[in-house]
Amino acid sequence: DQQVKQNSPSLSVQEGRISILNCDYTNSMFDYFLWYKKYPAEGPTFLISISSIKDKNEDGRFTVFLNKSAKHLSLHIVPSQPGDSAVYFCAASANNNNDMRFGAGTRLTVKP
Amino acid sequence: NAGVTQTPKFRVLKTGQSMTLLCAQDMNHEYMYWYRQDPGMGLRLIHYSVGEGTTAKGEVPDGYNVSRLKKQNFLLGLESAAPSQTSVYFCASRSTLAGPQETQYFGPGTRLLVL
């Protein structure tokens, strides 16, 4: 039972354009959401997070939007750069516990 | 400051063999985690530890055991490996001081192939 779903396995965008990565969840108890970035042969690294009390969090070129009623969040990267090419994982947890659930990931390719 | 390191990087096992994966962190973190990553599944939590001498089960604990004898080390054991345990294993750690989940720092991973 996958509680966090990333339905797009891959996404390709042109350098300078916007990248939008989507994530859906089913567990209404989730109250903290994160995005991790992963390069080949490396471990995931934290990118940005959002608490359920907010609907938007911005950090430089990265913005995460949360729609609690739709149980949906998205990561916007503007402008996209070739160095952003990686696999992006969405993750969620409830009550800041240790059982964090991950989506299957979306491979982003940014073309020069 | 090496962060989180994992040993070995790659291993091939035969069905029924045993092995131990070692995770070490030099950040004095209290919490440590073992995940496995499989195609189409994302990362799934196997076991975790909230401090030296304590461990707890995650989402997929069957077939694995763990130990946290020292604060800086978290061992993941496979007593009798099965082909279904072929995966990439990631260790992570975080500080209790930070609070939010984002401070999980991941190791580079161990690729395990069970034949």
Side-chain angles (χ1 to χ4, degrees):
Chain A
D1 174 28
Q2 235 174 332
Q3 300 183 29
V4 178
K5 297 179 182 179
Q6 294 176 256
N7 293 319
S8 297
S10 63
L11 175 67
S12 181
V13 300
Q14 208 65 36
E15 181 179 6
R17 305 296 292 270
I18 183 171
S19 295
I20 300 176
L21 294 89
N22 294 302
C23 178
D24 297 292
Y25 62 95
T26 57
N27 188 342
S28 58
M29 298 300 292
F30 287 148
D31 58 5
Y32 203 79
F33 305 88
L34 309 92
W35 285 93
Y36 281 84
K37 179 179 179 179
K38 184 184 179 305
Y39 292 117
E42 295 183 9
T45 55
F46 168 73
L47 188 58
I48 193 170
S49 64
I50 188 167
S51 164
S52 61
I53 62 174
K54 296 183 176 181
D55 54 17
K56 177 183 175 181
N57 188 26
E58 191 172 353
D59 183 2
R61 295 185 297 113
F62 303 92
T63 303
V64 56
F65 295 92
L66 175 63
N67 182 334
K68 289 189 292 293
S69 61
K71 294 190 177 65
H72 176 83
L73 65 156
S74 60
L75 174 68
H76 292 209
I77 306 174
V78 182
S80 301
Q81 299 173 354
D84 296 330
S85 297
V87 177
Y88 290 79
F89 291 99
C90 171
S93 67
N95 299 319
N96 198 29
N97 67 26
N98 290 292
D99 192 0
M100 194 157 59
R101 299 298 173 105
F102 284 79
T106 296
R107 182 178 301 277
L108 173 65
T109 302
V110 180
K111 298 180 178 179
Chain B
N1 201 0
V4 180
T5 58
Q6 293 183 230
T7 309
K9 286 184 170 52
F10 175 69
R11 183 78 183 267
V12 178
L13 286 180
K14 294 181 180 178
T15 297
Q17 287 185 318
S18 64
M19 79 162 293
T20 300
L21 282 68
L22 170 64
C23 176
Q25 51 94 4
D26 60 3
M27 297 174 282
N28 202 35
H29 286 170
E30 289 291 337
Y31 289 12
M32 296 187 75
Y33 309 82
W34 275 108
Y35 293 89
R36 59 178 288 173
Q37 184 195 0
D38 302 294
M41 297 294 292
L43 281 78
R44 291 182 292 168
L45 183 65
I46 304 170
H47 287 278
Y48 64 96
S49 168
V50 300
E52 186 178 322
T54 69
T55 63
K57 294 180 180 180
E59 183 184 358
V60 288
D62 294 341
Y64 305 94
N65 56 75
V66 288
S67 64
R68 184 97 180 270
L69 299 180
K70 294 182 179 180
K71 186 177 183 180
Q72 64 267 34
N73 296 336
F74 194 27
L75 305 179
L76 177 70
L78 287 74
E79 290 187 351
S80 179
S84 61
Q85 294 178 304
T86 293
S87 188
V88 181
Y89 292 85
F90 289 100
C91 175
S93 71
R94 76 174 174 101
S95 167
T96 54
L97 296 177
Q101 294 277 356
E102 68 251 30
T103 52
Q104 280 199 33
Y105 294 88
F106 282 83
T110 294
R111 187 174 297 274
L112 177 65
L113 174 62
V114 183
L115 301 175

